[in-house]
Amino acid sequence: MNMMQFSDFLLYSALINYAILIIWFLLFIFAKDWMKSLHGQWFKLTDQQFDVVHYSGMAIYKIGILLLNLVPFIALKLLS
């Protein structure tokens, strides 16, 4: 795999991960009750705890996308 293929891979990976993040956010905004009832079967969470878990999860996921996809992609683009 050469640098161009790897940078394309990182770009598509970032796009797919951002699509997942947007879907997660939209579900959290528009289907929060459904998500709470689904997760409520396994975990006993208050509304505040549920919000914190999901906002924190989205933040960590976004940081992961930045560090593992976008930064290496930008570095490869700057090298080529």
Side-chain angles (χ1 to χ4, degrees):
M1 181 181 287
N2 63 22
M3 281 181 34
M4 200 64 174
Q5 290 174 323
F6 190 58
S7 66
D8 288 344
F9 169 76
L10 289 171
L11 177 63
Y12 290 129
S13 178
L15 292 174
I16 291 169
N17 280 312
Y18 270 117
I20 291 170
L21 184 64
I22 289 169
I23 291 168
W24 184 2
F25 176 74
L26 291 175
L27 282 173
F28 183 73
I29 295 299
F30 296 114
K32 186 176 179 179
D33 294 333
W34 172 76
M35 287 176 62
K36 178 117 172 73
S37 68
L38 179 68
H39 292 125
Q41 296 172 0
W42 302 304
F43 308 107
K44 303 293 184 227
L45 298 172
T46 65
D47 286 339
Q48 289 179 336
Q49 290 172 327
F50 182 78
D51 291 347
V52 167
V53 166
H54 280 277
Y55 278 124
S56 300
M58 284 185 250
I60 291 168
Y61 194 71
K62 189 190 316 186
I63 291 169
I65 295 168
L66 288 169
L67 292 177
L68 300 173
N69 295 131
L70 291 178
V71 171
F73 172 75
I74 293 168
L76 285 175
K77 285 299 181 184
L78 289 174
L79 286 176
S80 61

